[in-house]
Amino acid sequence: MTLPDSPVSPRAAQTIAAATATLSAFIIVLRYLYGRNAPYPAIVTDPTKVAKRISGKEDEYDFNEYDVIILGGGTAGCVLASRLSEDPSLRVLLLEAGNSAMKNPFAIIPLSYSLMFHTKHEWDLWTVPQRKAGSVQKYWPRAKLLGGCSCLNAMIFHAGAPEDYNEWALLQKGHEGALQWSYRELLPYLRKFEKYHPSPEFPEVDPAQRGNAGPVDVGYFGWVAPGTRKFIEACANVGIPAVPDVNTPKGSMGVTKGRRVTSEYAYLTPEVLARPNLKVVTGAHVTRILFDTSGPITRAVGAEFTQPNGEKFRVKARKEVVLSAGAVHTPQILMLSGVGPADHLKSLDIPVVADLPGVGSNLMDHVVVDLNYRDRTGNSLAFLRGRTLKHKLKLVRAIWEYKFRKTGPLTSNVAEAIAFVRSDDPKLFPPSEFPPEKTPEDTSSGPGAPDIELFFTPVGYKMHTGDNMPPGEYFGLHGVLLSGHTAAPTYAIGEKAADLIKAALAKA
């Protein structure tokens, strides 16, 4: 068979080969440099050191015991493991299905997180066909790493609107402890985890309104595309005010500019992992919670987990089992353990421990409309995929700039600027064009809180996986039905939960 002549000249072919070889060498160097971390005694890859292998009947062995077992080492799980093990009298065990992200360059370099999509580092989840979204299945990235989705998100720090937290308290309808979840009560925890770094580019941000001693570094560290600044200017032109800080008690309305710090990096530090009372097991896929139903009150007393090779293990909790496995796996583990809608559990031959019909129901995600435009400035982030010689050379330069200067396009978080607005703002949505009687009432946001997010990306994409645009340079404008982002509230809830558990254990 005769192959067609190559459209690339021999000289260009040599250049492409050299660029490709250089890129490969850089990636090898990155993996080497980020893989030299010293081992920590708390991180355990051999579960026989902390748990008992199941080899016969369930009552033929003794449990390995801990005071507190945390199921799931995601954003909140790492917070809990760190804070609870501050008490040297508590033996704490953290179980995580994934591995540590500390040696993973794609979980370290801010821009590269999408390169973990559809890999062993995430769960590769897809929804069922969405009847009101073209009946298509939607990809739902969920990290399978210590640190959870703090390794795989867009690194947006957004505390959220005070009104939304107050809605949490109101939804509990006066139940005991409801007011503890109001904004006023959670504000100290929002500041507890944060270490804000002031920026000379944003002198209007008041550091007194921010946390300054927490483990999570927050600041304006990332690369800013020229189009990002144009987006902020355009927002001001249509009536969305530029706000220096949307993370204070004043609220979230306005437009602002948004680095990755994972919860593993922030909370499972070498000092924390050196604690003799903390163990972290990676590759531990929790399959169920163990309950004691012999007494008048059913109690969670342990957990069962498997290793990638299929071996099963069990551990026992003397005081607390904390389930912190995320929005998808928390209800799954509950149902596998017999907690959930009884009819559904019986149909799968799962013994019912508690009939709770709401478990596994009402999962919702925000609706997004993506608009993509040709970028004629040459500042798009499309070079990350390295499809052309020009892109490969830009990628090599960007890797060098990031590795040796910690600057450049690889520090972008993709969603570089965000505007929060309300759908009933008459300046943006004139009643003559959007009659109030024909506008559906939004019940998902508190009064005065935003219900629409607009954000700019210096790269275009059609789907969450990103690599699906025609050749060329693009930027994107995106509209989201969203009141706020969840990373910051999750850190705060982890901090508060740790204090609540400590108080309960002290009282007991």
Side-chain angles (χ1 to χ4, degrees):
M1 181 175 67
T2 303
L3 295 175
D5 292 335
S6 171
V8 181
S9 69
R11 181 181 180 85
Q14 290 176 353
T15 305
I16 292 173
T20 303
T22 304
L23 174 59
S24 300
F26 264 102
I27 291 177
I28 291 171
V29 170
L30 281 176
R31 289 191 179 277
Y32 170 73
L33 291 172
Y34 286 114
R36 296 192 299 171
N37 300 53
Y40 299 113
I43 296 183
V44 178
T45 56
D46 180 5
T48 60
K49 295 180 178 179
V50 297
K52 292 294 186 181
R53 182 184 285 112
I54 300 174
S55 56
K57 293 183 180 180
E58 294 190 359
D59 57 354
E60 288 185 350
Y61 63 92
D62 294 324
F63 284 103
N64 266 36
E65 286 192 342
Y66 293 83
D67 293 305
V68 180
I69 300 173
I70 303 164
L71 311 182
T75 305
C78 291
V79 178
L80 288 161
S82 177
R83 293 304 191 190
L84 293 177
S85 62
E86 289 174 340
D87 182 348
S89 69
L90 286 179
R91 293 188 68 206
V92 179
L93 176 66
L94 174 63
L95 299 177
E96 166 56 38
N99 295 316
S100 170
M102 296 294 284
K103 299 179 182 180
N104 187 335
F106 302 134
I108 297 170
I109 302 171
L111 183 60
S112 65
Y113 63 95
S114 65
L115 298 180
M116 292 189 288
F117 291 171
H118 308 297
T119 71
K120 66 179 181 180
H121 302 303
E122 63 95 35
W123 290 94
D124 200 24
L125 299 178
W126 294 79
T127 69
V128 297
Q130 299 299 293
R131 184 170 56 86
K132 295 185 178 181
S135 295
V136 298
Q137 292 179 283
K138 295 291 185 179
Y139 172 55
W140 196 316
R142 303 292 298 174
K144 192 178 182 181
L145 290 163
L146 269 176
C149 287
S150 67
C151 303
L152 199 66
N153 60 19
M155 297 154 280
I156 297 168
F157 180 89
H158 183 223
E163 294 90 343
D164 283 336
Y165 292 97
N166 294 335
E167 286 279 297
W168 289 0
L170 291 174
L171 287 171
Q172 296 178 70
K173 299 179 180 178
H175 282 238
E176 183 180 356
L179 292 179
Q180 291 191 38
W181 300 98
S182 67
Y183 181 76
R184 179 180 177 180
E185 296 296 323
L186 276 168
L187 180 58
Y189 293 100
L190 287 165
R191 292 178 176 169
K192 181 178 181 179
F193 76 80
E194 181 187 17
K195 184 179 182 179
Y196 176 72
H197 295 259
S199 168
E201 190 176 357
F202 299 92
E204 299 90 350
V205 178
D206 182 3
Q209 298 288 331
R210 309 295 294 269
N212 59 18
V216 180
D217 292 301
V218 176
Y220 296 96
F221 303 113
W223 184 74
V224 183
T228 299
R229 302 186 189 280
K230 293 292 184 183
F231 170 78
I232 295 174
E233 292 175 12
C235 286
N237 290 337
V238 299
I240 304 173
V243 177
D245 194 358
V246 295
N247 295 296
T248 73
K250 295 180 180 179
S252 289
M253 304 296 284
V255 61
T256 189
K257 157 77 189 75
R259 163 195 145 163
R260 173 181 319 277
V261 174
T262 73
S263 62
E264 179 192 15
Y265 180 86
Y267 283 90
L268 299 185
T269 63
E271 294 77 16
V272 171
L273 293 176
R275 294 171 184 165
N277 61 320
L278 172 64
K279 295 297 179 185
V280 179
V281 183
T282 57
H285 187 174
V286 176
T287 52
R288 64 179 175 129
I289 301 166
L290 304 176
F291 290 97
D292 178 3
T293 58
S294 62
I297 299 176
T298 298
R299 294 183 62 250
V301 295
E304 182 177 289
F305 65 93
T306 63
Q307 285 280 283
N309 62 7
E311 284 190 295
K312 291 184 178 180
F313 296 84
R314 286 212 181 106
V315 288
K316 184 176 181 179
R318 296 178 62 248
K319 298 178 179 180
E320 289 284 348
V321 176
V322 182
L323 183 52
S324 179
V328 175
H329 291 98
T330 289
Q332 181 198 32
I333 292 171
L334 284 172
M335 289 190 284
L336 289 172
S337 309
V339 178
D343 291 342
H344 179 60
L345 299 180
K346 290 175 182 176
S347 71
L348 298 171
D349 296 324
I350 297 175
V352 178
V353 173
D355 179 16
L356 294 178
V359 175
S361 300
N362 303 312
L363 180 63
M364 294 182 288
D365 202 357
H366 42 264
V367 177
V368 184
V369 176
D370 303 313
L371 302 175
N372 298 298
Y373 300 87
R374 288 278 184 182
D375 186 340
R376 296 184 175 89
T377 68
N379 293 300
S380 165
L381 296 177
F383 70 86
L384 182 63
R385 295 292 176 179
R387 287 175 169 171
T388 67
L389 172 60
K390 181 180 178 181
H391 284 174
K392 287 181 172 66
L393 294 174
K394 287 185 71 173
L395 181 55
V396 168
R397 177 180 176 180
I399 292 174
W400 184 92
E401 191 174 5
Y402 176 79
K403 181 57 196 171
F404 297 106
R405 295 181 179 175
K406 290 297 184 288
T407 59
L410 293 189
T411 65
S412 171
N413 71 320
V414 182
E416 292 188 354
I418 294 173
F420 293 102
V421 301
R422 280 192 64 87
S423 56
D424 59 3
D425 186 339
K427 293 181 295 183
L428 301 175
F429 304 97
S432 58
E433 299 180 42
F434 303 91
E437 63 274 10
K438 294 185 178 181
T439 302
E441 180 184 0
D442 174 42
T443 59
S444 61
S445 296
D451 56 7
I452 296 176
E453 174 194 79
L454 308 171
F455 68 95
F456 172 87
T457 60
V459 65
Y461 57 84
K462 293 180 181 178
M463 297 171 61
H464 212 156
T465 44
D467 190 19
N468 40 48
M469 293 292 290
E473 306 274 338
Y474 300 89
F475 66 86
L477 298 176
H478 314 268
V480 193
L481 290 179
L482 184 69
S483 177
H485 290 265
T486 57
T490 301
Y491 279 117
I493 291 169
E495 290 278 11
K496 183 175 178 64
D499 276 359
L500 291 173
I501 293 169
K502 286 179 180 178
L505 294 179
K507 185 177 180 181

